[in-house]
Amino acid sequence: MITISRLENLFKNIKEKDANDLCFEVRHKVLEIPRQLYFQSVSKYDNPLSEEAVQYIVEEYLDWKDDHGLVGMIRVNDNKEKDLVELDAAVRYVVNCEDSTCKKCQ
């Protein structure tokens, strides 16, 4: 077997457990925000397109909507042609657990 990672020793010592009682559904929400308004709203951040800044906007928006989703990864697109900042947020929602149909996942 060819090892492509220098982290092999770490990986061999990780104990992985399933959280069988906690399941999520992931939905993508694409937020289109006028560029000028976006940059004004995150002016306190050194990098207005940083993970911290976009996370702040998405979390505050979900809170404002009384949406109880948990924010995951966020893709940022500074679309100058459309004069928008687009935030594609993966938002997780707790759901009832069902048996997985993915045999490799178990």
Side-chain angles (χ1 to χ4, degrees):
M1 178 172 127
I2 299 173
T3 303
I4 59 173
S5 174
R6 296 187 313 259
L7 299 174
E8 181 178 14
N9 189 46
L10 170 71
F11 296 156
K12 286 180 178 180
N13 288 286
I14 292 176
K15 182 178 179 182
E16 179 180 320
K17 300 188 300 185
D18 286 330
N20 292 327
D21 58 342
L22 192 58
C23 298
F24 295 97
E25 175 179 289
V26 177
R27 296 191 182 179
H28 282 264
K29 296 182 183 281
V30 179
L31 311 181
E32 296 180 334
I33 308 165
R35 283 185 87 245
Q36 183 177 1
L37 184 57
Y38 174 83
F39 285 102
Q40 288 173 355
S41 300
V42 293
S43 61
K44 68 180 182 179
Y45 294 95
D46 292 335
N47 178 357
L49 298 173
S50 68
E51 180 180 346
E52 184 180 20
V54 299
Q55 188 90 11
Y56 166 75
I57 292 296
V58 174
E59 286 177 351
E60 290 295 316
Y61 175 72
L62 293 178
D63 188 48
W64 176 77
K65 285 184 59 184
D66 200 29
D67 183 323
H68 300 287
L70 304 169
V71 180
M73 298 293 292
I74 304 169
R75 184 185 60 80
V76 181
N77 181 23
D78 183 11
N79 191 331
K80 295 175 183 163
E81 291 175 1
K82 292 184 178 179
D83 200 29
L84 295 172
V85 172
E86 300 165 331
L87 305 180
D88 178 359
V91 182
R92 300 174 292 165
Y93 296 90
V94 177
V95 296
N96 290 331
C97 292
E98 299 175 5
D99 290 335
S100 175
T101 57
C102 174
K103 299 303 177 200
K104 286 185 176 181
C105 303
Q106 299 177 9

